Amino acid sequence: MADASHRLPTDTDDGLVLIISGPSGAGKTTITRGVERGIPGSVFSVSATTRQRTDADVEGVDYRFVTDDEFEAMRSRGEFLETAGVYGKKYGTPKAWVLEQIKRGRLVILEIDVQGAISVKHQIPDAFAVYILPPSENSLLERLRSRKRESEEIIQRRYEQGCAEIERARSCGVYDAFIVNDVLEDSIRQAIELVNAERARRRR
Ligand code: 5GP
C-alpha cells in the first residue's frame, strides 16, 4: 500500500492522471497522441530529457531537451514529479504543471516507463495506468526494425529490454488495464473508452 504521507493533494472534480506505458515499438506514442486528440480538454505532459533530439522530435511538444546540468538543477529545485534513467539518459515529469492541470479538471497524459508509473502511482494513487502490449514478442522486433531508426545492435538491446519491461509491467501491480495493439485505430478507441468509463465511474 502507498504511504499516505507521500500522497499529493490532487482531489478535484474531473482531473485525472492517465499513465500510458509500453515497450519501444509497441505504438504507445501514436496511441497517446490519439487519446489526446480524442478526449476534449486532455493535455500531454512534456517531459524534460537529456537524450539527443531526433528529426522526429519537436522541442517543447514531444520533450524539453536539456543538458545534464540543466536537468540536475531542475531536479535540485524539486521541479520533477518523478525522474527515471532510460537507456542511459534522464527523463523527468514536470510536477507543478501536472498538479495545476489536475486542479483544472483536465485529463493529464503521462507517457512514461514502468519505473515512472510505479513512482507516480505511489504519489497519486488515483492515477489510471494503461500498458500497451505488442501483439507478440516477434511483432515487437519487427516493428523496431521497420522504424529504421536504430542499428541492429540497438534494436536487439531495445527488444530485450522491452521484453523485460513487459514482465515487470505485468508483475508490478500498477497497471489498471493492458491493451494489445494489433490494429492502431482499435487500440486508440479502446484507450479512450477505458478513460471515459473510468471518469464516469468516479463521477458516480
Ligand atoms: P524515447 O526516448 O524513446 O522517447 O523514450 C524512452 C522511454 O522513456 C519511453 O518508455 C518513454 O515512455 C519513457 N519516458 C519519457 N518521458 C519520461 C518521463 O518523464 N519519465 C519516465 N519515467 N519515463 C519517461
Side-chain angles (χ1 to χ4, degrees):
M1 272 300 278
D3 172 355
S5 63
H6 287 102
R7 293 184 188 178
L8 294 166
T10 55
D11 269 358
T12 56
D13 286 353
D14 218 17
L16 177 66
V17 169
L18 170 65
I19 298 167
I20 299 184
S21 312
S24 294
K28 68 175 178 301
T29 303
T30 317
I31 292 172
T32 300
R33 295 302 186 177
V35 171
E36 190 189 0
R37 273 196 306 276
I39 300 184
S42 62
V43 284
F44 177 77
S45 163
V46 180
S47 295
T49 182
T50 62
R51 87 147 159 77
Q52 282 289 100
R53 189 170 81 80
T54 67
D55 289 344
D57 294 313
V58 179
E59 162 68 36
V61 174
D62 297 301
Y63 285 106
R64 238 184 107 185
F65 293 93
V66 296
T67 63
D68 205 74
D69 284 351
E70 285 167 341
F71 191 95
E72 288 309 322
M74 291 165 86
R75 194 209 297 270
S76 64
R77 291 194 298 264
E79 291 182 16
F80 294 125
L81 182 59
E82 60 81 39
T83 60
V86 184
Y87 308 127
K89 299 295 176 188
K90 295 169 186 172
Y91 295 79
T93 301
K95 183 174 181 171
W97 184 86
V98 167
L99 296 181
E100 178 60 29
Q101 299 307 313
I102 302 170
K103 263 201 225 136
R104 290 186 189 177
R106 297 269 175 83
L107 176 77
V108 190
I109 307 170
L110 311 185
E111 191 198 313
I112 59 177
D113 72 342
V114 176
Q115 46 182 332
I118 293 169
S119 174
V120 171
K121 270 272 194 167
H122 185 61
Q123 301 174 75
I124 308 176
D126 283 351
F128 188 68
V130 176
Y131 195 85
I132 309 297
L133 288 166
S136 66
E137 288 189 354
N138 202 40
S139 69
L140 184 62
L141 192 55
E142 291 311 313
R143 285 188 199 180
L144 282 169
R145 285 193 176 128
S146 70
R147 298 198 300 186
K148 295 192 171 55
R149 230 191 267 172
E150 300 105 343
S151 66
E152 183 60 26
E153 191 194 331
I154 290 178
I155 287 171
Q156 283 296 336
R157 207 186 321 145
R158 290 208 159 196
Y159 170 67
E160 278 158 30
Q161 285 171 342
C163 293
E165 202 203 71
I166 290 170
E167 281 313 305
R168 196 157 174 232
R170 285 193 195 281
S171 61
C172 71
V174 153
Y175 291 93
D176 299 285
F178 288 80
I179 294 176
V180 178
N181 181 25
D182 205 348
V183 179
L184 205 49
E185 288 311 313
D186 290 348
S187 302
I188 294 170
R189 198 176 320 117
Q190 209 181 321
I192 291 171
E193 280 169 12
L194 278 167
V195 171
N196 287 339
E198 182 62 21
R199 278 179 134 178
R201 192 183 68 78
R202 291 178 187 208
R203 276 188 217 117
R204 262 182 248 129

